[in-house]
Amino acid sequence: MTKTRLYLYDTTLRDGQQTQDVQFSTEEKHQIAAALDALGVDYIEGGWPGANPTDNAFFDAAPKTRAKLTAFGMTKRLGISAQNDDVLAAVMNAGTGSVCLVGKTHEFHVTRALGISLEDNLSLLRDSIAHLTASGREALFDAEHFFDGYKANPEYALSCLRIVLEAGARWIVLCDTNGGTLPAEVGRITGEVIAAGIPGDRLGIHTHDDTDNAVACTLAAVDAGARQIQGTLNGLGERCGNANLTALIPILLLKEPYASRYETGISHKALKSLTRTSRMLDEILNRVPQKQAAFVGASAFAHKAGLHASAILKDPSTYEHIEPATVGNSRIIPMSNQAGQSNLRRRLTEAGLNVAKGDPALARILEEVKAREAMGYAYDTAQASFELLAREALGQMPDLFEVKRYRVTVERRKNKYNRMVSLSEAVVVVKVDDEKRMSVSESMDEDGDRGPVNALSKALVKDLGQYSAMLDDMRLVDFKVRITQGGVEAVTRVIIDSEDGQGRRWSTVGVSPNIIDASFEALLDAIRWKLIRDLKG
């Protein structure tokens, strides 16, 4: 059976940049565009030329992509010809072969937001799209607020689509701009649009996630006949975000009936880079990846319950809907106070620790995990610390170095500019290579005071003898603090996420009534885990 082609249109560089606290640099936009192109999307919307210097710079040095690089803008203004509209000219001057213009299709927005007549709006749409096609550009039309407009006045909303179709638009994209339309409505209205004479192979869908239904709404439109899908990596976008391509892409390639009915520009080989691409974007944004994200999240294939892990050992499909490697992810068997020996043996095996079924050490490790979690530790999120705990119990913990003592001081004083500043100093004494060594470090660097934990970290790795060079590529990427008890008996739990130059990422935990002590414990575990991995080669 011949498959129907679906076209993927990524708008991360434009819609994604409308996310609160997100602002891409030109270099970052180029990096993201390269990753999207390697993934295999059909269109990359680069931004709005003329709207800001970053987008201008991006198009001035536009990347060479297999995907169709697209400039975004708005239809011409009333009273100015398309040829003389400077806003439209800026979009045209970007030089892209494809141009997407947004226009009104909801009568309320025409009369209230634009303050013009319904007939005048139709002429704006027609003239703008005709100007694109006359210039030899592929024209795309984003029908803003279409679903709300259709529910308010279906005939006018349809007349907007018909006039841009007649003017030569290649794609007409139905936009749920407010994100409030539910999947059944999206499917019904898309079907009615096609029945009214707008061909499905000219229709696209653009949904927002304000009801947490953007992916479902997109699939409903595809089911009804739409053939272009717009979305963003990791669901970035204004308010609650846009349809998430990191969920939609694997659904289209792996799930029925989509896998059998449709084809996209994404190969199964490229699909294996999806998790890496998702996390690359989070790294650019300096965000912690969402663990529960479908397909690409760190917890997407994590099996905590002992019953689940036992079944996973026999057949992963018992609790996994796909093989994690197909999207570049991996299976995790966390340790916690809910764990049984099946979880434990599987986790130990993954860490390279082979323990026979029924070995008394398994019970000892489980008891230690449960006792420590009662004290506030959390090993389901701190896999590296669990591995070190297991190694100690099994007598397989190498003798790397010993911390004899440490001291941290925090001073707050006025500087030469008469401003109050803080400065932390750490002293760490370790025994390594059969000798004691003392290191001193301050928390101050070119960016200012980095805090007492930073000072401790620098002091600890400063002079570890033969091990110091191994830690050069290690860095702390996240630091989480949680108070596990209240009142005067409060206990602090610290989770540290670390990363190294080999792309490995690991989590460690420390617990203490003293936040510095808890942080230092987690930091020690992070360093020990890294050294063990590197020494194993």
Side-chain angles (χ1 to χ4, degrees), residues 13-14 17-18 23 29 46-57 59 72-74 86-91 94:
L13 300 182
R14 203 264 308 171
Q17 193 160 254
Q18 293 178 356
Q23 183 62 51
K29 294 188 75 162
W48 188 328
N52 59 73
T54 302
D55 285 1
N56 292 344
F59 286 106
F72 179 89
M74 62 184 290
D86 56 347
V87 176
L88 186 54
V91 178

Side-chain angles (χ1 to χ4, degrees), residues 21 31 145 154 167 190 205 240 254 281 327 361 365 373 389 397 421-422 499:
D21 299 327
Q31 184 181 351
H145 294 286
T190 303
I205 181 67
C240 303
L254 304 174
L281 179 62
V327 291
I365 294 171
E373 290 209 339
L389 179 153
M397 184 66 188
V421 295
S422 295
E499 193 173 64

Side-chain angles (χ1 to χ4, degrees), residues 112-131:
R112 291 294 297 273
L114 292 183
I116 63 176
S117 70
L118 300 183
E119 292 74 18
D120 282 339
N121 182 59
L122 292 175
S123 70
L124 299 184
L125 302 183
R126 180 189 61 243
D127 294 348
S128 299
I129 297 299
H131 179 59

Side-chain angles (χ1 to χ4, degrees), residues 8-10 229-233 235 243-250 274:
L8 298 175
Y9 183 108
D10 182 275
I229 292 171
Q230 295 199 356
T232 60
L233 284 178
N244 190 346
L245 288 180
T246 53
L248 279 165
I249 289 171
L274 188 67

Side-chain angles (χ1 to χ4, degrees), residues 397-402 431-433 467 528 531-532 535:
M397 184 66 188
D399 184 17
L400 301 170
F401 62 89
E402 178 187 3
K431 185 176 181 182
V432 61
D433 299 333
Y467 306 121
R528 285 176 173 143
L531 292 176
I532 290 171
L535 289 169

Side-chain angles (χ1 to χ4, degrees), residues 252-282:
L252 295 172
L253 268 68
L254 304 174
K255 294 297 181 180
E256 295 297 346
Y258 306 101
S260 296
R261 291 181 184 173
Y262 305 108
E263 62 180 354
T264 70
I266 313 290
S267 68
H268 283 271
K269 180 180 179 181
L271 184 63
K272 293 180 180 180
S273 69
L274 188 67
T275 298
R276 183 177 69 249
T277 302
S278 169
R279 293 177 184 175
M280 176 212 72
L281 179 62
D282 284 323

